[in-house]
Amino acid sequence: DRRLAINVLCSMKELIHTRQEFGKYPVPSQPIPMTDKGENKYAKMPSVIVEVGFHTNPQDALLLRNREFQSLAMRGVAKGYRLFRENKPCGEFAIKPALPAFGRVGHDVHLPVGLTGNPVFPIHVTSRVLNCSGRYCHSRSATLFSQASVEKHRIQYLCTRNDLGKPPVELSVEAKDADGVVAKPAIYKVACGQ
């Protein structure tokens, strides 16, 4: 029961907080054990009672009538159950940091992207050069449809003569999954030389 409850709470928090207007809604990270409720006491399988809010609280009452809030909360419950069924822990959707890379002028540097958590595909990944001016400063985006495509995907940067003798180029890498969950961005660095 506890593992199921932790996954449900974690997933509800992740999804409810995808919307800015619900971003501060409190969702506990640990369940409250309830052994005296018939729904749990006599269950022959893992079970939880999900309380999303209280109608006696005016702020909760407004949210409990909000269709978007209802949808996000219940999608979180469904995701938590799916993770439990697949024996996966709930984890933060984030981009793994990458080691600094070295590139030669006139050549693309290819950096792998690693993701943590349990994002829902497709995932939209964007990279952009920070503090850049010039014609090579555009963002690059890709939509990834499977874990295999995540493993094949590379962040690219073309080293130019303008990069010589300067600090490493910093690229901000961002990702958003199909549920609207946004990963914490990561900074990748590329040092360019001859």
Short mmCIF file of all heavy atoms in Angstrom, two decimals, residues 65-118:
data_model
loop_
_atom_site.label_atom_id
_atom_site.label_comp_id
_atom_site.label_asym_id
_atom_site.label_seq_id
_atom_site.Cartn_x
_atom_site.Cartn_y
_atom_site.Cartn_z
N ARG A 65 -13.84 21.96 -8.11
CA ARG A 65 -14.82 22.17 -9.18
C ARG A 65 -14.16 22.51 -10.51
O ARG A 65 -14.83 22.61 -11.53
CB ARG A 65 -15.79 23.28 -8.78
CG ARG A 65 -16.74 22.88 -7.68
CD ARG A 65 -17.86 23.89 -7.50
NE ARG A 65 -17.38 25.21 -7.16
CZ ARG A 65 -17.37 25.73 -5.94
NH1 ARG A 65 -17.83 25.02 -4.92
NH2 ARG A 65 -16.94 26.95 -5.72
N ASN A 66 -12.86 22.71 -10.49
CA ASN A 66 -12.11 23.09 -11.69
C ASN A 66 -11.79 21.83 -12.51
O ASN A 66 -11.07 20.94 -12.05
CB ASN A 66 -10.83 23.81 -11.27
CG ASN A 66 -10.02 24.31 -12.44
OD1 ASN A 66 -9.63 23.55 -13.32
ND2 ASN A 66 -9.74 25.60 -12.44
N ARG A 67 -12.31 21.75 -13.74
CA ARG A 67 -12.13 20.55 -14.58
C ARG A 67 -10.66 20.26 -14.87
O ARG A 67 -10.24 19.11 -14.90
CB ARG A 67 -12.90 20.71 -15.90
CG ARG A 67 -14.38 20.77 -15.73
CD ARG A 67 -14.93 19.38 -15.57
NE ARG A 67 -16.37 19.44 -15.56
CZ ARG A 67 -17.11 18.57 -14.91
NH1 ARG A 67 -16.56 17.60 -14.24
NH2 ARG A 67 -18.41 18.66 -14.93
N GLU A 68 -9.87 21.29 -15.11
CA GLU A 68 -8.45 21.10 -15.40
C GLU A 68 -7.73 20.52 -14.18
O GLU A 68 -6.93 19.59 -14.30
CB GLU A 68 -7.80 22.43 -15.81
CG GLU A 68 -6.36 22.31 -16.20
CD GLU A 68 -6.11 21.55 -17.50
OE1 GLU A 68 -7.03 21.43 -18.32
OE2 GLU A 68 -4.98 21.04 -17.67
N PHE A 69 -8.03 21.04 -13.01
CA PHE A 69 -7.44 20.51 -11.77
C PHE A 69 -7.84 19.06 -11.56
O PHE A 69 -7.01 18.21 -11.24
CB PHE A 69 -7.86 21.37 -10.57
CG PHE A 69 -7.26 20.91 -9.28
CD1 PHE A 69 -5.97 21.30 -8.92
CD2 PHE A 69 -7.97 20.10 -8.42
CE1 PHE A 69 -5.40 20.86 -7.73
CE2 PHE A 69 -7.42 19.66 -7.23
CZ PHE A 69 -6.13 20.05 -6.89
N GLN A 70 -9.13 18.77 -11.75
CA GLN A 70 -9.62 17.39 -11.61
C GLN A 70 -8.86 16.45 -12.54
O GLN A 70 -8.43 15.36 -12.15
CB GLN A 70 -11.11 17.32 -11.93
CG GLN A 70 -12.01 18.02 -10.96
CD GLN A 70 -13.44 18.09 -11.48
OE1 GLN A 70 -13.80 17.53 -12.53
NE2 GLN A 70 -14.29 18.79 -10.74
N SER A 71 -8.72 16.89 -13.80
CA SER A 71 -8.05 16.06 -14.80
C SER A 71 -6.59 15.80 -14.42
O SER A 71 -6.12 14.66 -14.49
CB SER A 71 -8.12 16.73 -16.17
OG SER A 71 -7.38 16.01 -17.11
N LEU A 72 -5.88 16.84 -14.02
CA LEU A 72 -4.46 16.67 -13.66
C LEU A 72 -4.31 15.77 -12.45
O LEU A 72 -3.43 14.89 -12.42
CB LEU A 72 -3.82 18.04 -13.41
CG LEU A 72 -3.66 18.92 -14.64
CD1 LEU A 72 -3.24 20.33 -14.23
CD2 LEU A 72 -2.64 18.33 -15.62
N ALA A 73 -5.15 15.96 -11.44
CA ALA A 73 -5.06 15.13 -10.24
C ALA A 73 -5.31 13.66 -10.58
O ALA A 73 -4.55 12.77 -10.15
CB ALA A 73 -6.05 15.62 -9.18
N MET A 74 -6.33 13.38 -11.38
CA MET A 74 -6.66 11.99 -11.69
C MET A 74 -5.65 11.36 -12.66
O MET A 74 -5.36 10.17 -12.58
CB MET A 74 -8.08 11.88 -12.23
CG MET A 74 -9.14 12.18 -11.17
SD MET A 74 -8.98 11.19 -9.64
CE MET A 74 -8.21 12.36 -8.52
N ARG A 75 -5.10 12.17 -13.57
CA ARG A 75 -4.02 11.65 -14.42
C ARG A 75 -2.81 11.30 -13.57
O ARG A 75 -2.10 10.35 -13.85
CB ARG A 75 -3.68 12.65 -15.51
CG ARG A 75 -4.72 12.65 -16.62
CD ARG A 75 -4.58 13.76 -17.64
NE ARG A 75 -3.25 14.07 -18.06
CZ ARG A 75 -2.86 15.27 -18.49
NH1 ARG A 75 -3.74 16.26 -18.54
NH2 ARG A 75 -1.64 15.48 -18.88
N GLY A 76 -2.59 12.07 -12.50
CA GLY A 76 -1.51 11.75 -11.57
C GLY A 76 -1.77 10.43 -10.85
O GLY A 76 -0.86 9.61 -10.69
N VAL A 77 -3.01 10.21 -10.43
CA VAL A 77 -3.36 8.94 -9.79
C VAL A 77 -3.11 7.79 -10.77
O VAL A 77 -2.51 6.77 -10.41
CB VAL A 77 -4.84 8.94 -9.31
CG1 VAL A 77 -5.25 7.55 -8.83
CG2 VAL A 77 -5.04 9.97 -8.21
N ALA A 78 -3.56 7.96 -12.01
CA ALA A 78 -3.37 6.90 -13.02
C ALA A 78 -1.89 6.63 -13.27
O ALA A 78 -1.46 5.48 -13.37
CB ALA A 78 -4.07 7.30 -14.32
N LYS A 79 -1.08 7.70 -13.36
CA LYS A 79 0.35 7.51 -13.60
C LYS A 79 1.00 6.81 -12.40
O LYS A 79 1.83 5.92 -12.57
CB LYS A 79 1.03 8.85 -13.86
CG LYS A 79 2.51 8.72 -14.17
CD LYS A 79 3.13 10.05 -14.55
CE LYS A 79 4.60 9.86 -14.91
NZ LYS A 79 5.22 11.12 -15.35
N GLY A 80 0.62 7.21 -11.19
CA GLY A 80 1.16 6.55 -10.00
C GLY A 80 0.84 5.08 -9.97
O GLY A 80 1.69 4.24 -9.63
N TYR A 81 -0.40 4.72 -10.35
CA TYR A 81 -0.79 3.31 -10.41
C TYR A 81 0.02 2.58 -11.48
O TYR A 81 0.50 1.46 -11.26
CB TYR A 81 -2.29 3.17 -10.69
CG TYR A 81 -2.68 1.74 -10.92
CD1 TYR A 81 -2.72 0.83 -9.87
CD2 TYR A 81 -2.94 1.27 -12.21
CE1 TYR A 81 -3.04 -0.50 -10.09
CE2 TYR A 81 -3.27 -0.05 -12.43
CZ TYR A 81 -3.31 -0.94 -11.37
OH TYR A 81 -3.61 -2.25 -11.60
N ARG A 82 0.20 3.23 -12.65
CA ARG A 82 0.99 2.59 -13.72
C ARG A 82 2.41 2.33 -13.27
O ARG A 82 2.96 1.25 -13.49
CB ARG A 82 0.97 3.47 -14.97
CG ARG A 82 1.79 2.88 -16.12
CD ARG A 82 1.71 3.73 -17.39
NE ARG A 82 2.04 5.12 -17.19
CZ ARG A 82 3.29 5.61 -17.11
NH1 ARG A 82 4.33 4.81 -17.19
NH2 ARG A 82 3.50 6.90 -16.96
N LEU A 83 3.04 3.31 -12.61
CA LEU A 83 4.40 3.12 -12.13
C LEU A 83 4.47 1.99 -11.10
O LEU A 83 5.41 1.19 -11.11
CB LEU A 83 4.94 4.41 -11.52
CG LEU A 83 5.14 5.58 -12.48
CD1 LEU A 83 5.58 6.82 -11.72
CD2 LEU A 83 6.15 5.22 -13.56
N PHE A 84 3.48 1.93 -10.22
CA PHE A 84 3.42 0.84 -9.24
C PHE A 84 3.33 -0.51 -9.94
O PHE A 84 4.05 -1.45 -9.62
CB PHE A 84 2.21 1.04 -8.31
CG PHE A 84 1.96 -0.12 -7.39
CD1 PHE A 84 2.71 -0.27 -6.24
CD2 PHE A 84 0.99 -1.06 -7.69
CE1 PHE A 84 2.49 -1.35 -5.39
CE2 PHE A 84 0.76 -2.14 -6.86
CZ PHE A 84 1.51 -2.29 -5.70
N ARG A 85 2.43 -0.60 -10.92
CA ARG A 85 2.22 -1.85 -11.66
C ARG A 85 3.49 -2.28 -12.40
O ARG A 85 3.80 -3.46 -12.49
CB ARG A 85 1.06 -1.66 -12.64
CG ARG A 85 0.56 -2.96 -13.25
CD ARG A 85 -0.54 -2.72 -14.25
NE ARG A 85 -0.01 -1.98 -15.37
CZ ARG A 85 -0.61 -0.96 -15.98
NH1 ARG A 85 -1.79 -0.56 -15.57
NH2 ARG A 85 -0.06 -0.35 -16.99
N GLU A 86 4.24 -1.28 -12.93
CA GLU A 86 5.47 -1.57 -13.67
C GLU A 86 6.69 -1.68 -12.74
O GLU A 86 7.81 -1.82 -13.21
CB GLU A 86 5.71 -0.48 -14.71
CG GLU A 86 4.66 -0.46 -15.80
CD GLU A 86 4.77 0.74 -16.73
OE1 GLU A 86 5.66 1.60 -16.53
OE2 GLU A 86 3.95 0.83 -17.67
N ASN A 87 6.44 -1.59 -11.42
CA ASN A 87 7.50 -1.70 -10.42
C ASN A 87 8.59 -0.64 -10.61
O ASN A 87 9.77 -0.91 -10.47
CB ASN A 87 8.10 -3.11 -10.40
CG ASN A 87 8.79 -3.40 -9.09
OD1 ASN A 87 8.44 -2.83 -8.06
ND2 ASN A 87 9.76 -4.28 -9.12
N LYS A 88 8.15 0.59 -10.94
CA LYS A 88 9.09 1.71 -11.11
C LYS A 88 8.85 2.73 -10.01
O LYS A 88 7.71 3.01 -9.68
CB LYS A 88 8.86 2.40 -12.47
CG LYS A 88 9.19 1.56 -13.66
CD LYS A 88 8.90 2.37 -14.93
CE LYS A 88 9.22 1.58 -16.17
NZ LYS A 88 8.84 2.33 -17.39
N PRO A 89 9.91 3.30 -9.49
CA PRO A 89 9.71 4.37 -8.51
C PRO A 89 9.37 5.67 -9.23
O PRO A 89 9.77 5.89 -10.37
CB PRO A 89 11.08 4.48 -7.82
CG PRO A 89 12.05 4.04 -8.88
CD PRO A 89 11.33 2.98 -9.69
N CYS A 90 8.64 6.52 -8.56
CA CYS A 90 8.38 7.85 -9.11
C CYS A 90 9.65 8.65 -8.94
O CYS A 90 10.28 8.60 -7.88
CB CYS A 90 7.22 8.50 -8.37
SG CYS A 90 6.72 10.09 -9.07
N GLY A 91 10.05 9.35 -9.96
CA GLY A 91 11.26 10.15 -9.89
C GLY A 91 11.09 11.46 -10.64
O GLY A 91 10.24 11.58 -11.52
N GLU A 92 11.92 12.41 -10.29
CA GLU A 92 11.85 13.72 -10.92
C GLU A 92 12.28 13.65 -12.38
O GLU A 92 13.32 13.07 -12.70
CB GLU A 92 12.74 14.70 -10.16
CG GLU A 92 12.70 16.09 -10.73
CD GLU A 92 13.63 17.04 -9.98
OE1 GLU A 92 14.58 16.58 -9.35
OE2 GLU A 92 13.38 18.25 -10.07
N PHE A 93 11.49 14.26 -13.25
CA PHE A 93 11.84 14.37 -14.65
C PHE A 93 12.91 15.44 -14.76
O PHE A 93 12.67 16.60 -14.46
CB PHE A 93 10.60 14.73 -15.47
CG PHE A 93 10.82 14.89 -16.94
CD1 PHE A 93 11.71 14.10 -17.65
CD2 PHE A 93 10.10 15.85 -17.64
CE1 PHE A 93 11.90 14.26 -19.01
CE2 PHE A 93 10.26 16.02 -19.01
CZ PHE A 93 11.17 15.22 -19.69
N ALA A 94 14.10 15.04 -15.16
CA ALA A 94 15.22 15.98 -15.25
C ALA A 94 16.15 15.55 -16.38
O ALA A 94 16.10 14.41 -16.85
CB ALA A 94 15.98 16.04 -13.93
N ILE A 95 16.99 16.47 -16.79
CA ILE A 95 18.01 16.19 -17.80
C ILE A 95 19.32 15.93 -17.06
O ILE A 95 19.73 16.73 -16.22
CB ILE A 95 18.15 17.38 -18.76
CG1 ILE A 95 16.82 17.62 -19.47
CG2 ILE A 95 19.27 17.13 -19.76
CD1 ILE A 95 16.73 18.96 -20.17
N LYS A 96 19.93 14.80 -17.37
CA LYS A 96 21.19 14.47 -16.70
C LYS A 96 22.28 15.43 -17.16
O LYS A 96 22.36 15.78 -18.34
CB LYS A 96 21.62 13.04 -17.05
CG LYS A 96 20.72 11.98 -16.48
CD LYS A 96 21.21 10.61 -16.89
CE LYS A 96 20.28 9.52 -16.43
NZ LYS A 96 20.71 8.19 -16.88
N PRO A 97 23.14 15.86 -16.24
CA PRO A 97 24.25 16.72 -16.66
C PRO A 97 25.20 15.95 -17.57
O PRO A 97 25.30 14.73 -17.48
CB PRO A 97 24.93 17.09 -15.34
CG PRO A 97 24.38 16.17 -14.30
CD PRO A 97 23.12 15.57 -14.83
N ALA A 98 25.87 16.67 -18.44
CA ALA A 98 26.84 16.05 -19.36
C ALA A 98 28.22 16.59 -19.04
O ALA A 98 28.38 17.72 -18.59
CB ALA A 98 26.48 16.37 -20.81
N LEU A 99 29.23 15.77 -19.30
CA LEU A 99 30.61 16.22 -19.12
C LEU A 99 30.92 17.27 -20.17
O LEU A 99 30.39 17.22 -21.29
CB LEU A 99 31.56 15.04 -19.27
CG LEU A 99 31.45 13.96 -18.19
CD1 LEU A 99 32.33 12.76 -18.55
CD2 LEU A 99 31.84 14.52 -16.83
N PRO A 100 31.79 18.24 -19.83
CA PRO A 100 32.19 19.22 -20.84
C PRO A 100 32.80 18.51 -22.06
O PRO A 100 33.49 17.51 -21.91
CB PRO A 100 33.22 20.08 -20.12
CG PRO A 100 32.91 19.90 -18.67
CD PRO A 100 32.40 18.49 -18.53
N ALA A 101 32.52 19.05 -23.24
CA ALA A 101 33.00 18.43 -24.48
C ALA A 101 33.99 19.37 -25.17
O ALA A 101 34.01 20.57 -24.92
CB ALA A 101 31.83 18.13 -25.41
N PHE A 102 34.81 18.81 -26.06
CA PHE A 102 35.76 19.58 -26.85
C PHE A 102 35.42 19.41 -28.32
O PHE A 102 35.09 18.31 -28.77
CB PHE A 102 37.19 19.10 -26.60
CG PHE A 102 38.20 19.84 -27.42
CD1 PHE A 102 38.64 21.10 -27.06
CD2 PHE A 102 38.69 19.28 -28.60
CE1 PHE A 102 39.55 21.80 -27.84
CE2 PHE A 102 39.60 19.96 -29.39
CZ PHE A 102 40.03 21.23 -29.00
N GLY A 103 35.48 20.51 -29.08
CA GLY A 103 35.21 20.44 -30.50
C GLY A 103 36.23 21.21 -31.29
O GLY A 103 36.87 22.13 -30.77
N ARG A 104 36.39 20.85 -32.55
CA ARG A 104 37.31 21.55 -33.45
C ARG A 104 36.52 22.49 -34.35
O ARG A 104 35.40 22.18 -34.75
CB ARG A 104 38.09 20.54 -34.30
CG ARG A 104 39.06 19.72 -33.49
CD ARG A 104 39.89 18.80 -34.36
NE ARG A 104 39.32 18.70 -35.69
CZ ARG A 104 39.59 17.73 -36.54
NH1 ARG A 104 40.41 16.78 -36.22
NH2 ARG A 104 39.05 17.70 -37.73
N VAL A 105 37.15 23.60 -34.69
CA VAL A 105 36.52 24.59 -35.56
C VAL A 105 36.10 23.91 -36.87
O VAL A 105 36.85 23.15 -37.46
CB VAL A 105 37.50 25.76 -35.83
CG1 VAL A 105 36.95 26.67 -36.93
CG2 VAL A 105 37.72 26.55 -34.56
N GLY A 106 34.86 24.21 -37.28
CA GLY A 106 34.33 23.65 -38.52
C GLY A 106 33.68 22.29 -38.36
O GLY A 106 33.21 21.70 -39.34
N HIS A 107 33.62 21.79 -37.15
CA HIS A 107 33.03 20.46 -36.91
C HIS A 107 31.93 20.55 -35.86
O HIS A 107 32.02 21.33 -34.91
CB HIS A 107 34.10 19.48 -36.42
CG HIS A 107 35.15 19.20 -37.45
ND1 HIS A 107 35.01 18.24 -38.41
CD2 HIS A 107 36.36 19.79 -37.67
CE1 HIS A 107 36.09 18.23 -39.19
NE2 HIS A 107 36.92 19.17 -38.76
N ASP A 108 30.90 19.72 -36.04
CA ASP A 108 29.82 19.63 -35.05
C ASP A 108 30.27 18.79 -33.87
O ASP A 108 30.95 17.77 -34.04
CB ASP A 108 28.58 18.96 -35.67
CG ASP A 108 27.72 19.92 -36.45
OD1 ASP A 108 27.61 21.09 -36.04
OD2 ASP A 108 27.14 19.50 -37.47
N VAL A 109 29.88 19.22 -32.69
CA VAL A 109 30.06 18.43 -31.48
C VAL A 109 28.70 17.80 -31.19
O VAL A 109 27.66 18.48 -31.29
CB VAL A 109 30.50 19.33 -30.30
CG1 VAL A 109 30.60 18.51 -29.03
CG2 VAL A 109 31.80 20.02 -30.62
N HIS A 110 28.68 16.52 -30.86
CA HIS A 110 27.43 15.80 -30.61
C HIS A 110 27.41 15.33 -29.15
O HIS A 110 28.25 14.53 -28.75
CB HIS A 110 27.31 14.59 -31.54
CG HIS A 110 27.33 14.97 -32.98
ND1 HIS A 110 26.19 15.34 -33.65
CD2 HIS A 110 28.35 15.06 -33.88
CE1 HIS A 110 26.51 15.63 -34.92
NE2 HIS A 110 27.81 15.47 -35.06
N LEU A 111 26.46 15.83 -28.38
CA LEU A 111 26.35 15.51 -26.96
C LEU A 111 25.10 14.68 -26.70
O LEU A 111 23.99 15.09 -27.06
CB LEU A 111 26.29 16.80 -26.13
CG LEU A 111 27.48 17.74 -26.30
CD1 LEU A 111 27.12 19.15 -25.90
CD2 LEU A 111 28.64 17.23 -25.50
N PRO A 112 25.24 13.52 -26.05
CA PRO A 112 24.06 12.70 -25.75
C PRO A 112 23.19 13.36 -24.68
O PRO A 112 23.68 14.11 -23.84
CB PRO A 112 24.66 11.38 -25.24
CG PRO A 112 26.01 11.75 -24.74
CD PRO A 112 26.48 12.92 -25.55
N VAL A 113 21.90 13.07 -24.74
CA VAL A 113 20.95 13.59 -23.75
C VAL A 113 20.47 12.43 -22.90
O VAL A 113 20.01 11.42 -23.43
CB VAL A 113 19.74 14.25 -24.44
CG1 VAL A 113 18.71 14.68 -23.41
CG2 VAL A 113 20.18 15.43 -25.27
N GLY A 114 20.59 12.58 -21.60
CA GLY A 114 20.07 11.58 -20.68
C GLY A 114 18.94 12.17 -19.88
O GLY A 114 18.99 13.34 -19.48
N LEU A 115 17.89 11.39 -19.68
CA LEU A 115 16.72 11.86 -18.93
C LEU A 115 16.48 10.96 -17.72
O LEU A 115 16.72 9.76 -17.79
CB LEU A 115 15.48 11.87 -19.82
CG LEU A 115 15.55 12.71 -21.09
CD1 LEU A 115 14.30 12.48 -21.94
CD2 LEU A 115 15.71 14.18 -20.76
N THR A 116 16.00 11.55 -16.64
CA THR A 116 15.59 10.78 -15.48
C THR A 116 14.09 10.91 -15.30
O THR A 116 13.46 11.74 -15.95
CB THR A 116 16.30 11.28 -14.20
OG1 THR A 116 15.91 12.64 -13.96
CG2 THR A 116 17.82 11.20 -14.33
N GLY A 117 13.54 10.13 -14.42
CA GLY A 117 12.10 10.19 -14.16
C GLY A 117 11.34 9.27 -15.08
O GLY A 117 11.90 8.36 -15.69
N ASN A 118 10.06 9.53 -15.21
CA ASN A 118 9.17 8.70 -16.01
C ASN A 118 8.33 9.56 -16.94
O ASN A 118 7.10 9.62 -16.83
CB ASN A 118 8.25 7.88 -15.09
CG ASN A 118 9.04 6.97 -14.19
OD1 ASN A 118 9.57 5.97 -14.64
ND2 ASN A 118 9.15 7.33 -12.92
#
